[in-house]
Amino acid sequence: MVGRQYGRIYAWDRINEAMVRQWCEIMGVDNPLYTDAEYAATTEHGQLVAPPAMLQGWCLAGFGDKKLAPGSTDENPYGVLEVLEKHGYPAVVAVNSNLTFDRYITMGEKLYYTTVLDSVSEEKTTALGTGFFVTLKMTYFSEQPEGLEDEKVGDMMFRVIKFKPAQKADQKSEQKKDKTEVNKEAAVRKRPKPAISDDNRFFWEGFAENELRIQACNRCKKLQHPPAPVCMHCHTFDLGYQVASGKGELYSFVVMHYPHVAPFDSPNPIGLIELEEGVRIPAGLIGLEEGESPKIGQKVQVEFHTFDGELTLPQFRLVPTKES
């Protein structure tokens, strides 16, 4: 299969302003070259162009990765992965992709790509198990009018390792441990400590003072979280912090049921809190009765709890909602 070139996979839509605008909004890109037609007309391009980083997105399949745009090949460029799975290499430990852009893409262009299975490595052994590095190369083209040669606009190198998880020597004995032994192990496990750097030290040290410190810019006075070395609004390095009230509401949440991770409770509710000050922070939720579920928009109040006699962390108690 190595060296085989697979047929074209077309983009569903021509390059268009609506999709570019939505992508820029989601990614936080405010370059007027992509969204302001009047500004773009004054540049060397003379018109709007699409962000280069959108290249792969234009030709993605429909929902479920099975629905390809009309005219696309029926061949499966990823068939080698299915072969490896059938031979006992079902897991993926990592993927990476490198994109190269030949030029900007303009509104109205129709894209497609072809794929070559570049290589499959010899079997590699890692701490996680044994597997193969599979490398595919996609070449992207802009379809030109009949009689003209289609123009190459970029490349993507995609690499994935398919592997067979290693079997630990004591795995079978571990499986035979009764629940009592497992619970004893869980009881002595401590909460993982955070990674503290010069940029976020103020945040973690504030908990010992029962303070919820949110990074604040000394120049533009805006808040941001998580802490960073530079203000995301005005790009200054002159940063401090503001002590938040600890009050807010539940913006979103997830309840972890499985896997059970000691020493955390199970189920383990985690919330994304929108503070009164306007920033959002993830933290554990407390105050739920058994079988009760958090509610979006529910009011919360921070509490500080010390774990393992040394680690103080904020948790947010859900304020009971008024019954109608």
Side-chain angles (χ1 to χ4, degrees):
M1 300 174 75
V2 173
R4 178 179 176 182
Q5 178 169 311
Y6 295 83
R8 299 180 179 184
I9 293 181
Y10 280 94
W12 275 95
D13 302 281
R14 292 183 178 274
I15 310 302
N16 63 85
E17 295 180 30
M19 293 177 69
V20 169
R21 185 186 69 255
Q22 292 166 4
W23 186 91
C24 287
E25 289 175 356
I26 292 296
M27 300 301 293
V29 174
D30 57 5
N31 190 335
L33 180 61
Y34 307 140
T35 56
D36 186 335
E38 290 186 4
Y39 171 82
T42 67
T43 69
E44 61 184 287
H45 305 286
Q47 61 178 313
L48 290 171
V49 296
M54 288 186 71
L55 180 61
Q56 182 186 7
W58 292 109
C59 295
L60 291 177
F63 182 73
D65 292 332
K66 298 295 183 183
K67 193 175 181 182
L68 298 177
S72 298
T73 180
D74 292 330
E75 301 173 304
N76 180 10
Y78 303 98
V80 63
L81 304 182
E82 296 179 354
V83 172
L84 291 172
E85 289 172 0
K86 291 178 181 178
H87 283 78
Y89 300 86
V92 173
V93 65
V95 301
N96 75 287
S97 58
N98 294 332
L99 282 162
T100 303
F101 313 109
D102 289 23
R103 66 165 174 82
Y104 280 94
I105 301 167
T106 58
M107 300 301 134
E109 292 192 77
K110 182 76 170 180
L111 302 185
Y112 68 85
Y113 72 86
T114 59
T115 305
V116 172
L117 176 55
D118 183 71
S119 64
V120 179
S121 72
E122 296 296 323
E123 189 177 49
K124 306 289 186 180
T125 300
T126 71
L128 294 176
T130 57
F132 299 88
F133 287 90
V134 179
T135 304
L136 300 105
K137 289 186 177 178
M138 290 77 164
T139 304
Y140 288 80
F141 295 90
S142 173
E143 193 172 51
Q144 301 298 306
E146 187 174 352
L148 297 177
E149 184 177 356
D150 292 344
E151 187 174 351
K152 178 174 170 292
V153 295
D155 297 283
M156 182 175 76
M157 184 281 292
F158 178 79
R159 181 173 291 124
V160 57
I161 178 171
K162 295 289 288 184
F163 79 108
K164 180 190 304 180
Q167 294 287 326
K168 294 182 179 180
D170 59 348
Q171 187 170 357
K172 291 184 179 180
S173 61
E174 287 286 336
Q175 293 174 346
K176 293 181 180 180
K177 286 186 176 180
D178 60 30
K179 292 183 178 179
T180 301
E181 291 175 319
V182 172
N183 289 338
K184 285 181 180 179
E185 285 188 2
V188 300
R189 292 183 187 175
K190 295 183 177 181
R191 290 216 173 200
K193 294 182 179 180
I196 297 178
S197 68
D198 290 339
D199 297 322
N200 63 24
R201 191 179 310 279
F202 74 93
F203 176 71
W204 298 106
E205 289 181 347
F207 302 152
E209 305 296 330
N210 284 356
E211 291 182 349
L212 183 59
R213 299 173 178 175
I214 303 300
Q215 193 169 51
C217 178
N218 292 327
R219 179 195 289 175
C220 69
K221 308 304 180 183
K222 293 183 179 180
L223 304 180
Q224 64 182 22
H225 187 80
V230 64
C231 175
M232 63 184 292
H233 305 287
C234 69
H235 304 149
T236 183
F237 291 91
D238 186 12
L239 298 169
Y241 66 83
Q242 173 183 321
V243 178
S245 66
K247 296 180 180 180
E249 64 179 39
L250 190 60
Y251 183 84
S252 183
F253 70 90
V254 62
V255 180
M256 290 288 297
H257 292 274
Y258 186 84
H260 304 307
V261 179
F264 299 98
D265 295 332
S266 182
N268 182 21
I270 305 295
L272 181 59
I273 311 302
E274 187 165 87
L275 298 173
E276 287 183 338
E277 291 76 12
V279 296
R280 296 171 188 158
I281 179 172
L285 299 175
I286 56 176
L288 284 170
E289 300 293 335
E290 186 175 353
E292 183 183 4
S293 178
K295 296 178 177 60
I296 300 297
Q298 192 170 354
K299 300 297 182 183
V300 296
Q301 173 66 56
V302 72
E303 294 182 6
F304 296 94
H305 297 271
T306 300
F307 301 90
D308 309 318
E310 58 179 350
L311 181 62
T312 301
L313 295 172
Q315 293 181 302
F316 283 83
R317 182 170 296 277
L318 291 156
V319 178
T321 56
K322 295 181 179 179
E323 296 184 3
S324 56

